[in-house]
């Protein structure tokens, strides 16, 4: 059969339909693990830096930028013809300690954050096409999250960050990104209201990232997720699935893996059927380096490939849905 695509790499199937299947990438395994590199290059046509572009890792001291890891990841993406999502410019976590615990006043903080955002976005102009400008600004109940940024500047920090990122790279697509906002709930409603307001005010925002960190057995209804994607699309915004994983209680059974595959299949179908949801990024390449077991004891195996890099039913589910 000349056109048998049943075993094609995900990226080939995705390329053929103008879709992106991405993975979050860590600098260390990228450097040290050849099997990780091979799998990444074979299966994915997009990547996100899992940690390397965050404020803290990038700025060990006020006068120093540590671009080595991010540069290495972006260079790998370019060599392999993969698109890059930049993650993330403004986030309450992984902040530099010297900034969070420092005593800078309003004006100096503004200067520092503006120049940080502009330096980073300018450096990767034309190479990082999409930025998660602001990450996780809301609590699950829809209130503003109490962060360094909110305390210092009030909610206006959000529009300031988008303007500064736009000045740094006028061609990059700029996203707001959050978790537990996949279906219809207080948080996704707060995000909807915010992005609508920002658009009305002429703020350069182009998309919303739904992280889709899920726990097997507690997945929001596909109908609610599809409706959520649709309402953002109706505002003219692009939606990306930015950090998908589906954690499972360990040890995992065959039936867990089948159920997990069903969830991956549901989510990619929502995107493929939506008006404008062209990317699904999973939060890691293999289960081996996933953040999940470090944070949720007794849970793991959330990704498409297992600890040995072998394909799981979840990868097959994406492949099946990407078939021409
Ligand atoms: O690199 C340092 C190392 O030098 C140090 O010795 C070691 C000791 O703790 O820590 C290492 O840093 C860790 C880093 O991951 C790299 O491995 C941090 O402690 C650890 O907190 C950090 O976790 C990351 C987490 O964000 C930070 O909150 C995870 O890898 C990363 O997957 C996770 O990603 C987030 C997204 O950015 C936003 N959405 C949720 C998602 C999952 O939490």
């Amino acid at each position: 059969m000349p056109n048998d695509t049943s075993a094609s790499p995900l990226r080939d199937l995705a390329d053929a339909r103008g879709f992106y299947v991405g993975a979050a990438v860590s600098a260390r395994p990228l450097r040290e693990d050849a099997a990780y590199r091979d799998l990444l290059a074979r299966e994915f046509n997009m990547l996100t830096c899992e940690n390397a572009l965050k404020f803290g890792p990038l700025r060990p001291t006020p006068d120093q930028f540590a671009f080595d890891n991010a540069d290495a990841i972006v260079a790998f993406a370019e060599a392999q013809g993969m698109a890059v999502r930049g993650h993330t410019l403004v986030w309450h976590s992984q902040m530099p300690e010297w900034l969070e615990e420092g005593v800078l006043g309003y004006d100096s903080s503004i200067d520092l954050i503006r120049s940080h955002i502009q330096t980073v976005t300018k450096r990767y102009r034309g190479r990082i096409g999409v930025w998660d400008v602001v990450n996780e600004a809301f609590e699950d109940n829809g209130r503003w999250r109490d962060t360094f940024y909110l305390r210092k500047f009030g909610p206006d920090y959000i529009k300031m960050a988008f303007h500064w990122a736009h000045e740094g790279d006028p061609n990059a697509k700029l996203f707001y990104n959050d978790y537990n906002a996949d279906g219809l709930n207080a948080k996704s409603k707060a995000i909807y209201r915010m992005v609508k307001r920002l658009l009305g005010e002429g703020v350069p925002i182009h998309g919303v990232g739904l992280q889709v960190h899920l726990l097997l057995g507690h997945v929001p209804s596909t109908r609610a997720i599809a409706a959520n994607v649709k309402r953002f699309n109706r505002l003219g915004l692009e939606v990306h699935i930015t950090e998908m994983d589906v954690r499972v209680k360990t040890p995992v059974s065959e039936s867990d893996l089948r159920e997990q595959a069903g969830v991956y299949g549901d989510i990619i179908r929502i995107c493929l059927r939506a008006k404008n949801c062209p990317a699904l990024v999973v939060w890691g390449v293999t289960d081996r380096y996933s953040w999940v077991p470090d944070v949720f004891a007794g849970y793991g195996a959330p990704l498409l490939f297992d600890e040995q890099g072998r394909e799981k039913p979840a990868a097959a589910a994406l492949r099946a849905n990407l078939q021409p």
Side-chain angles (χ1 to χ4, degrees), residues 255-283:
S255 100
D256 290 336
L257 293 179
R258 276 198 303 277
E259 199 181 330
Q260 181 185 57
V263 179
Y264 274 97
D266 286 343
I267 298 292
I268 198 166
R269 267 194 302 282
I270 289 171
C271 264
L272 293 171
R273 288 177 186 164
K275 194 166 159 212
N276 193 5
C277 180
L280 187 158
V281 179
V282 293
W283 205 239

Side-chain angles (χ1 to χ4, degrees), residues 23-322:
V25 171
S26 253
R28 195 161 170 197
L30 188 69
R31 245 190 329 262
E32 296 175 358
D33 184 341
Y36 176 99
R37 281 196 296 278
D38 292 347
L39 187 58
L40 176 62
R42 190 182 75 221
E43 296 291 342
F44 299 95
N45 59 357
M46 173 179 264
L47 64 74
T48 304
C49 297
E50 185 172 357
N51 290 300
L53 284 167
K54 292 170 180 173
F55 206 158
L58 269 187
R59 297 294 290 277
T61 68
D63 311 319
Q64 210 187 342
F65 279 87
F67 280 119
D68 299 13
N69 286 340
D71 282 352
I73 297 172
V74 173
F76 180 88
E78 284 178 330
Q80 301 300 331
M82 304 163 83
V84 182
R85 296 191 87 266
H87 175 82
T88 174
L89 298 167
V90 170
W91 190 31
H92 63 277
S93 179
Q94 283 176 293
M95 292 273 288
E97 269 173 37
W98 54 262
L99 178 58
E100 236 181 341
E101 289 161 17
V103 289
L104 288 184
Y106 182 93
D107 288 342
S108 319
S109 307
I110 292 246
D111 287 347
L112 190 130
I113 291 161
R114 185 204 291 119
S115 91
H116 177 82
I117 291 178
Q118 294 187 340
T119 303
V120 177
T121 46
K122 267 184 199 157
R123 181 182 185 87
Y124 295 107
R125 250 188 206 174
R127 303 169 70 202
I128 294 186
V130 188
W131 279 99
D132 290 332
V133 176
V134 177
N135 195 42
E136 303 173 7
F138 289 102
E139 300 285 358
D140 284 354
N141 63 14
R143 302 225 169 108
W144 295 116
R145 188 192 286 273
D146 180 23
T147 67
F148 168 87
Y149 297 97
L150 188 74
R151 287 192 295 276
K152 211 75 174 181
F153 313 116
D156 275 359
Y157 78 85
I158 295 182
K159 57 177 146 188
M160 297 193 292
F162 277 93
H163 281 298
W164 294 333
H166 186 63
E167 284 159 21
D169 184 353
N171 294 320
K173 287 185 184 172
L174 306 181
F175 274 56
Y176 175 81
N177 187 49
D178 216 325
Y179 68 94
N180 284 356
D182 315 315
L184 300 171
N185 56 32
K187 196 189 247 186
S188 64
K189 190 170 179 184
I191 295 168
Y192 179 78
R193 286 191 176 145
M194 176 191 71
V195 296
K196 193 169 174 191
R197 204 174 50 244
L198 293 176
L199 286 168
E201 293 170 357
V203 174
I205 177 167
H206 312 105
V208 172
L210 304 178
Q211 294 186 8
V212 191
H213 288 294
L214 300 175
L215 165 61
L216 195 68
H218 296 81
V219 174
S221 80
T222 48
R223 190 182 265 221
I225 301 172
N228 196 30
V229 171
K230 187 168 182 181
R231 66 175 166 173
F232 289 120
N233 281 171
R234 279 209 174 127
L235 291 176
L237 292 170
E238 193 163 314
V239 173
H240 290 179
I241 306 302
T242 51
E243 305 185 14
M244 185 166 179
D245 52 20
V246 184
R247 61 185 180 275
V248 181
K249 215 171 186 1
T250 47
V252 287
S253 66
E254 288 299 316
S255 100
D256 290 336
L257 293 179
R258 276 198 303 277
E259 199 181 330
Q260 181 185 57
V263 179
Y264 274 97
D266 286 343
I267 298 292
I268 198 166
R269 267 194 302 282
I270 289 171
C271 264
L272 293 171
R273 288 177 186 164
K275 194 166 159 212
N276 193 5
C277 180
L280 187 158
V281 179
V282 293
W283 205 239
V285 180
T286 69
D287 288 340
R288 179 173 199 152
Y289 303 106
S290 164
W291 68 292
V292 166
D294 295 340
V295 173
F296 298 100
Y299 290 84
L303 295 166
L304 304 177
F305 298 91
D306 72 9
E307 303 246 342
Q308 279 73 43
R310 290 177 304 220
E311 171 166 321
K312 294 162 63 183
L318 293 192
R319 181 172 300 110
N321 280 286
L322 286 168

